[in-house]
Amino acid sequence: MDNLFVKTLLDVIHVLATVLWIGGMFINFIIIRPLTMKVLDPVTAGQFNMALMKKFRIIVYASIVLLGVTGIPLKIVNPNYIDIINFENQWEIVSFIKHLFYGLLVILAVFNFEIVSPNMARAAAGKHQPQLLKWRQRAMISGMLAMFSAIVILILSSMMRYL
């Protein structure tokens, strides 16, 4: 694919999906979550976070699809690309590691949206403070893992530009 317009469009969509997903995670983890825990009582904070995650879930799942749809052709047209799994050059090795972290980030997103958030909502609705705190702790741990994975992905993506 030598069409500059198509490659640029794919790259813009890829970057936009990354910004929406990872940027949203950063805003949630650094600003929204701490503020809700500080300002709202635990039950209300749980309800608020559940409503927020319902909206953010759509963005994340759309980003996962867009990253796959745009990432595959972008990888294939890269001059460093050799094969789907190949370790003959540094770019391929870094790309493979980056995609492992992307897979982990996808798993963590599904875990948070499909397991943690619904359980937090049930605990908040039933006014079960100990359960809510347990699920909030799990959300914090998986959120920290997701943040770490996102940072690694960004570092590896930047690194790939210079290999």
Side-chain angles (χ1 to χ4, degrees):
M1 170 181 26
D2 284 334
N3 189 320
L4 180 62
F5 175 77
V6 173
K7 288 193 282 189
T8 302
L9 180 63
L10 289 173
D11 196 42
V12 167
I13 293 168
H14 197 80
V15 169
L16 183 60
T18 303
V19 167
L20 288 172
W21 184 5
I22 294 177
M25 277 180 19
F26 274 82
I27 295 298
N28 183 44
F29 199 72
I30 293 170
I31 297 171
I32 296 171
R33 185 176 285 169
L35 279 176
T36 58
M37 291 172 59
K38 182 178 181 181
V39 174
L40 302 174
D41 64 90
V43 173
T44 307
Q47 292 168 339
F48 173 81
N49 283 324
M50 183 62 184
L52 179 68
M53 288 302 109
K54 270 187 176 179
K55 298 286 184 183
F56 190 54
R57 175 182 192 223
I58 297 165
I59 292 169
V60 170
Y61 286 156
S63 293
I64 289 168
V65 171
L66 288 172
L67 287 167
V69 168
T70 59
I72 292 168
L74 286 171
K75 182 174 180 171
I76 291 170
V77 300
N78 189 293
N80 293 302
Y81 175 75
I82 298 170
D83 203 356
I84 187 112
I85 298 178
N86 189 301
F87 303 115
E88 290 183 29
N89 63 39
Q90 288 181 332
W91 187 89
E92 287 280 3
I93 294 167
V94 172
S95 174
F96 180 77
I97 295 167
K98 176 184 128 178
H99 289 100
L100 288 177
F101 277 96
Y102 169 77
L104 175 61
L105 194 57
V106 169
I107 290 167
L108 289 168
V110 171
F111 174 72
N112 277 319
F113 289 127
E114 307 305 328
I115 296 171
V116 175
S117 289
N119 281 303
M120 280 179 67
R122 279 192 287 280
K127 311 246 191 272
H128 299 277
Q129 183 79 8
Q131 288 290 355
L132 182 58
L133 293 175
K134 178 181 94 171
W135 284 107
R136 210 181 247 165
Q137 184 179 34
R138 288 180 181 166
M140 183 63 79
I141 291 168
S142 65
M144 289 178 2
L145 275 172
M147 289 288 290
F148 173 76
S149 296
I151 291 167
V152 169
I153 289 166
L154 293 175
I155 291 168
L156 295 175
S157 294
S158 292
M159 187 184 297
M160 287 172 67
R161 294 184 186 276
Y162 304 105
L163 292 174

